[in-house]
Amino acid sequence: MARPSTPRPVASPDLLTAADLMAVLPMTAEVKDGHLWIGGVDTVELAREAGTALYVMDEATIRFQLSEYVKWTRYHWKDVDVVYAGKAFLTLAMVKIVEEEDCCLLCASGGELAYAVRAGFPMDRVQMHGNNKTPAELAEALDAGIGRIVVDNFEEMERLSALASERGVTQRVLIRVTPGVAADTHDFIITGAEDSKFGFGLNQGLAMQAVKRAIELPGIEFEGLHMHIGSQIFALHSFAKAIEVMVGFMREIQVETGHSVRMLDVGGGLGVAYGVPDEPSTVKDFGKVVVDGIKEECERHGLTVPRMAVEPGRSIVANAGVTLYTVGSIKEIPGIRTYVAIDGGMSDNIRTSLYGAHYEALVADRADQPREMIATIAGKHCESGDIVVKDAPLQHLEVGDIVCVCATGGYCHSMSSNYNKQVRPGVVFVRDGAWRWSLRRETYDDLMRSDLG
Ligand code: LLP
């Protein structure tokens, strides 16, 4: 057995340059004059002008990904809604892009809904889900004239029915079903298994009870079913399996209640490449598995094919984004590890400490050089676990260099915090050689805005 003091084996340098990392970078990434450029903008210049830490989002990649979903789902079936899951990354500029790309928006809270309202997003294209929407959030959604609400539990259904009846409106609803399929991903982001806080289980008959109740309650109109089996899923067979289960349930509903299910929403969850060897399924293949799966299963059961929806979040934004940091100090512990400390950390990227997520990193001002060393990119927070990338192959670097952590466009800004009263980084969008602020960097005044002293 190894003695506790034996240094752990460390990863070895992989000699890759930025040019080898294109699979995890935005589609417009290129290396020019030794620097990493994104959206026609030199990221090193950008870091100097806008400051670090900084989230950089490539508009072209976001628009391309949204349009891929539209293309490869509607290619197979005309009535498919592509509903972007705002929880992955949401700013007013992002809402506008979603609208312009002819997509819908999924909100998981009153706050996300407020973004849609403020941006003037067409409300009939908004859906709200969540396992404990408060009465206030339900009322806000109704008052905004939201398109659909995904009902998660019986209490919520009764509340929604009462609130809608009071207002004299009828709200379209989907019933969230847990199909009992465990997706092949991290335990914390599995949602469709039987043991889940989300939705109505099929096996205990709860989902059927929920559908029947939705049909009889005033103020709500049962339109269809919703599922979401998890996130960062690579293999598509779990989607196919869950679709089989859901369409089987559509058939049961038809037989038992005489109602046909007019909408089937299969949720999001398609994985992305965080590491160079990652090979997630493509949007094209996802579209085919989902749409053909639903069509074939409906045919098998003699059902009319419903309107469909998909709810991608991560696969729209993750690879569109990077985070730029400045190296503040370098600490080499001989034979053990080299720590590179950056001006951010777990407050702008909690995913490494929360899920053990893996990221690729490179030195933006030495992007053409090979990654010849191994270092751990550590944040500036008061926790040993505040690591952004553990044992990362990196170019040789010095204090003042700009480190770029790749594929941080999804679930980094949206899960960021003010731990240690750290101000959140700003978000810039780059496009066609120009950049603009989408969110300015926070200030100390922002930190104290709601503090009443
Ligand atoms: N629809 C529903 C109902 C969801 O709950 C989610 C994500 C999505 C769609 C979008 O899934 P995506 O395409 O992004 O996988 N914080 C975790 C991810 C949590 C996902 C929660 N639900 C992470 O950083 O990995």
Side-chain angles (χ1 to χ4, degrees):
M1 204 171 82
R3 282 174 289 122
S5 59
T6 308
R8 295 186 313 103
V10 289
S12 44
D14 60 9
L15 305 183
L16 300 184
T17 69
D20 305 303
L21 297 172
M22 290 302 159
V24 297
L25 282 164
M27 60 191 289
T28 61
E30 54 188 330
V31 180
K32 275 200 288 195
D33 310 325
H35 289 186
L36 173 69
W37 291 59
I38 299 176
V41 172
D42 179 346
T43 59
V44 181
E45 278 302 308
L46 174 59
R48 285 198 187 112
E49 274 182 61
T52 55
L54 185 70
Y55 296 109
V56 182
M57 300 296 289
D58 179 41
E59 199 170 323
T61 304
I62 296 174
R63 288 187 187 273
F64 180 76
Q65 289 300 99
L66 288 168
S67 69
E68 281 285 282
Y69 270 96
V70 170
K71 176 168 155 192
W72 293 118
T73 54
R74 292 189 196 152
Y75 179 80
H76 299 283
W77 185 244
K78 57 188 185 316
D79 289 331
V80 189
D81 289 343
V82 175
V83 189
Y84 169 67
K87 68 190 75 182
F89 170 78
L90 200 64
T91 64
L92 292 173
M94 181 68 200
V95 179
K96 270 281 157 225
I97 292 173
V98 173
E99 182 183 353
E100 286 165 12
E101 294 300 325
D102 196 21
C103 293
C104 306
L105 186 66
L106 178 67
C107 298
S109 69
E112 289 183 5
L113 179 69
Y115 262 76
V117 172
R118 179 70 59 88
F121 195 88
M123 273 301 139
D124 57 331
R125 278 160 50 187
V126 179
Q127 290 187 189
M128 187 183 232
H129 81 106
N131 71 311
N132 190 18
K133 305 172 198 75
T134 63
E137 286 174 323
L138 292 172
E140 284 157 23
L142 290 171
D143 293 340
I146 198 167
R148 297 190 177 86
I149 295 185
V150 181
V151 171
D152 208 275
N153 55 70
F154 288 110
E155 292 87 341
E156 174 188 310
M157 201 189 303
E158 301 292 329
R159 260 179 228 136
L160 181 61
S161 160
L163 288 166
S165 303
E166 269 168 30
R167 287 165 172 73
V169 297
T170 302
Q171 178 61 51
R172 280 183 291 162
V173 300
L174 304 180
I175 298 296
R176 175 149 182 181
V177 175
T178 38
V181 173
D184 189 12
T185 185
H186 192 291
D187 278 358
F188 287 7
I189 48 180
I190 290 182
T191 47
E194 218 176 319
D195 179 1
S196 168
K197 71 168 183 168
F198 297 104
F200 299 94
L202 271 182
N203 293 347
Q204 311 82 8
L206 289 176
M208 183 60 88
Q209 259 181 48
V211 169
K212 288 182 178 163
R213 188 70 184 135
I215 291 171
E216 70 191 19
L217 275 175
I220 61 177
E221 179 194 335
F222 169 67
E223 193 188 9
L225 304 176
H226 176 280
M227 71 176 208
H228 172 73
I229 57 174
S231 197
Q232 184 58 1
I233 301 168
F234 274 34
L236 297 174
H237 58 80
S238 339
F239 288 104
K241 178 75 204 138
I243 284 168
E244 221 181 288
V245 172
M246 294 295 279
V247 178
F249 182 49
M250 282 169 55
R251 160 98 184 129
E252 281 175 43
I253 294 172
Q254 174 94 58
V255 171
E256 274 199 40
T257 71
H259 270 75
S260 48
V261 169
R262 286 177 287 125
M263 171 107 191
L264 179 57
D265 182 336
V266 302
L270 185 62
V272 304
Y274 284 108
V276 169
D278 291 348
E279 282 185 9
S281 300
T282 60
V283 174
K284 180 177 177 184
D285 289 344
F286 174 82
K288 188 168 167 49
V289 165
V290 167
V291 179
D292 282 358
I294 296 176
K295 282 199 309 200
E296 281 161 23
E297 286 301 303
C298 285
E299 203 166 295
R300 199 159 72 80
H301 289 286
L303 297 169
T304 310
V305 179
R307 186 174 186 84
M308 304 175 193
V310 293
E311 297 176 344
R314 187 193 314 268
S315 51
I316 303 298
V317 284
N319 297 109
V322 301
T323 314
L324 302 178
Y325 303 99
T326 302
V327 176
S329 68
I330 301 167
K331 170 177 174 172
E332 200 181 328
I333 312 173
I336 298 192
R337 198 182 299 282
T338 298
Y339 285 97
V340 171
I342 43 121
D343 51 355
M346 65 194 298
S347 53
D348 61 71
N349 185 350
I350 189 74
R351 298 194 68 260
T352 306
S353 25
L354 192 57
Y355 311 117
H358 166 76
Y359 288 94
E360 298 287 355
L362 64 120
V363 182
D365 45 320
R366 302 172 195 268
D368 55 347
Q369 294 174 24
R371 300 198 298 187
E372 281 177 328
M373 66 181 274
I374 293 291
T376 285
I377 302 175
K380 65 195 290 289
H381 294 280
C382 306
E383 305 231 4
S384 302
D386 174 25
I387 300 294
V388 176
V389 192
K390 193 170 174 194
D391 294 336
L394 274 178
Q395 289 82 359
H396 277 294
L397 46 62
E398 286 170 19
V399 168
D401 278 338
I402 303 297
V403 165
C404 166
V405 177
C406 310
T408 57
Y411 299 109
C412 287
H413 175 264
S414 62
M415 295 175 77
S416 63
S417 75
N418 289 122
Y419 182 39
N420 292 144
K421 299 293 184 220
Q422 173 81 2
V423 292
R424 285 189 180 79
V427 178
V428 301
F429 276 69
V430 290
R431 181 184 179 175
D432 298 334
W435 64 272
R436 62 182 164 126
W437 289 107
S438 171
L439 274 182
R440 62 160 171 75
R441 183 183 318 287
E442 287 181 346
T443 63
Y444 296 150
D445 281 341
D446 291 325
L447 293 179
M448 285 173 258
R449 179 146 297 147
S450 48
D451 190 321
L452 302 181

